[in-house]
Amino acid sequence: MEDNTARFEKLLVKNGLKRTAPRLQVLEILSGRDSATSQPYLEQVMGKDADRVTLYRVLQAFEEKGIIHKVLDQQGTANYAICSDGCSAHEHHDEHVHFNCDNCHKIYCLDTVKIPALKVPAGFKVDHLNLIATGLCASCSDKVN
Amino acid sequence: MEDNTARFEKLLVKNGLKRTAPRLQVLEILSGRDSATSQPYLEQVMGKDADRVTLYRVLQAFEEKGIIHKVLDQQGTANYAICSDGCSAHEHHDEHVHFNCDNCHKIYCLDTVKIPALKVPAGFKVDHLNLIATGLCASCSDKVN
DNA sequence: TTATATTTGCAACATAATTGCATTAAAATG
DNA sequence: CATTTTAATGCAATTATGTTGCAAATATAA
């Protein structure tokens, strides 16, 4: 799992995207984190390596191709995480629960927790489900006690 | 159910808020809609009747008192709906499902649908759940067929 | 009717996101 | 390997969204 760069380059090519510095950098940052990453954080980390507009466009392209998925936190800020295998441009499989910690504000993708089936009123056709739980993450509830 | 104004005035007084024109207007608009209403829509409808800042502050005050609740749609836009009875400043009971129609972009509060209980990994402590379903609402899926 | 406490509106500012366009860089081609 | 083609970047300008401080106005209490 060492040579990420080679892996990322394949990922880009596979999706018809050119191998550029800003794109590799975004993948590098996202893969090094255990929770979803906010746009402002990315912007700050990348600094002047890439224009703000470029970052927006990189994220948008990645989302369209199914490389990353977007989660909105309780404030409405966009956060991004690398999709698990199985996502593609045509179909996102990110219907797991996202956990938004009230203390550290990290967003965890709880891949193991599936969203239970849901009964909706007649006529409504559910396409996607998006469940965000808020509370304290394991690390923060430790510290509080 | 005709004289809304009197009802709204009581609601304001009960929550220690003064009876002002912008507040009554917001309540009037929200109560006349069958789905959650976006901040931009409210801003547009109110036009120059109220300053943009006033609208933000009215919405914020209402949310704090438990008169309305905020739902973020898939784009991260704030939408507001009048709370069902039982909400207060201390406790929001809006843990029902919100349905975001992909076609008409309305947001429905599905009060009758409860969010199923959830198993989370050890250590995580869930405080609130927020489930947004996307797809076609009853009215739009009619039209498509 | 006057006093007081809240609420409003304005101006200025801060942040987040989008668009058009010229320039640059990556991959494809011969 | 030079050249062409196509995609991506960076910059400037613009729009949308949300916030803060403060003076003026207004609702309620006294």
Side-chain angles (χ1 to χ4, degrees):
Chain A
M1 199 60 85
E2 179 40 43
D3 195 355
N4 277 330
T5 308
R7 197 159 54 88
F8 294 151
E9 291 182 356
K10 269 186 210 162
L11 187 61
L12 290 176
V13 171
K14 193 178 77 181
N15 284 284
L17 297 172
K18 289 185 179 173
R19 186 206 66 102
T20 67
R23 284 173 178 167
L24 289 173
Q25 199 181 351
V26 168
L27 289 175
E28 201 67 57
I29 296 172
L30 289 183
S31 72
R33 292 173 50 85
D34 63 347
S35 62
T37 303
S38 73
Q39 192 279 334
Y41 176 88
L42 283 167
E43 193 174 319
Q44 187 204 312
V45 170
M46 310 210 8
K48 65 175 184 53
D49 290 353
D51 192 80
R52 230 158 55 82
V53 178
T54 300
L55 176 56
Y56 279 113
R57 287 193 276 226
V58 167
L59 292 171
Q60 189 185 306
F62 283 1
E63 200 190 356
E64 278 167 8
K65 299 295 183 176
I67 296 174
I68 62 178
H69 66 269
K70 179 175 12 184
V71 202
L72 298 173
D73 65 20
Q74 294 308 95
Q75 282 76 247
T77 309
N79 287 261
Y80 298 90
I82 293 192
C83 283
S84 56
D85 301 335
C87 285
S88 70
H90 300 299
E91 209 175 353
H92 271 280
H93 296 283
D94 57 335
E95 304 220 332
H96 50 270
V97 176
H98 290 109
F99 189 94
N100 199 168
C101 179
D102 287 329
N103 187 247
C104 64
H105 298 107
K106 280 189 183 178
I107 295 186
Y108 297 88
C109 296
L110 304 183
D111 296 276
T112 57
V113 182
K114 294 298 171 207
I115 299 181
L118 204 70
K119 282 181 194 136
V120 294
F124 284 80
K125 285 179 185 158
V126 175
D127 188 33
H128 281 289
L129 292 174
N130 191 0
L131 178 55
I132 298 182
T134 61
L136 289 179
C137 71
S139 160
C140 285
S141 63
D142 259 7
K143 284 175 201 152
V144 171
N145 294 332
Chain B
M1 196 61 85
E2 179 41 41
D3 195 355
N4 278 331
T5 308
R7 195 158 54 87
F8 295 152
E9 290 180 358
K10 270 186 209 161
L11 187 60
L12 290 176
V13 171
K14 193 180 75 180
N15 285 284
L17 297 171
K18 289 184 175 170
R19 188 206 66 101
T20 67
R23 286 175 177 164
L24 289 172
Q25 198 181 352
V26 168
L27 290 174
E28 202 65 60
I29 296 172
L30 289 183
S31 72
R33 292 172 51 83
D34 63 348
S35 62
T37 302
S38 72
Q39 192 281 334
Y41 176 88
L42 283 166
E43 194 175 318
Q44 187 205 312
V45 170
M46 308 207 15
K48 63 175 184 53
D49 290 351
D51 191 79
R52 229 159 50 83
V53 178
T54 300
L55 176 55
Y56 280 110
R57 288 193 275 226
V58 166
L59 292 172
Q60 190 185 304
F62 283 2
E63 202 190 354
E64 279 166 10
K65 300 294 186 181
I67 296 174
I68 62 177
H69 66 269
K70 179 176 10 185
V71 202
L72 298 174
D73 65 19
Q74 294 308 95
Q75 282 76 244
T77 308
N79 286 263
Y80 299 89
I82 294 191
C83 283
S84 55
D85 300 336
C87 285
S88 70
H90 300 299
E91 210 174 355
H92 271 279
H93 296 282
D94 57 334
E95 303 222 331
H96 50 270
V97 176
H98 291 109
F99 189 94
N100 197 168
C101 179
D102 287 329
N103 188 248
C104 63
H105 298 107
K106 281 188 182 177
I107 296 186
Y108 297 88
C109 295
L110 304 184
D111 297 275
T112 57
V113 183
K114 294 297 170 209
I115 299 181
L118 205 70
K119 281 179 195 140
V120 295
F124 284 79
K125 285 179 185 158
V126 175
D127 188 35
H128 279 290
L129 291 173
N130 190 1
L131 179 54
I132 298 181
T134 61
L136 290 179
C137 72
S139 160
C140 285
S141 63
D142 259 7
K143 283 175 201 154
V144 170
N145 294 332

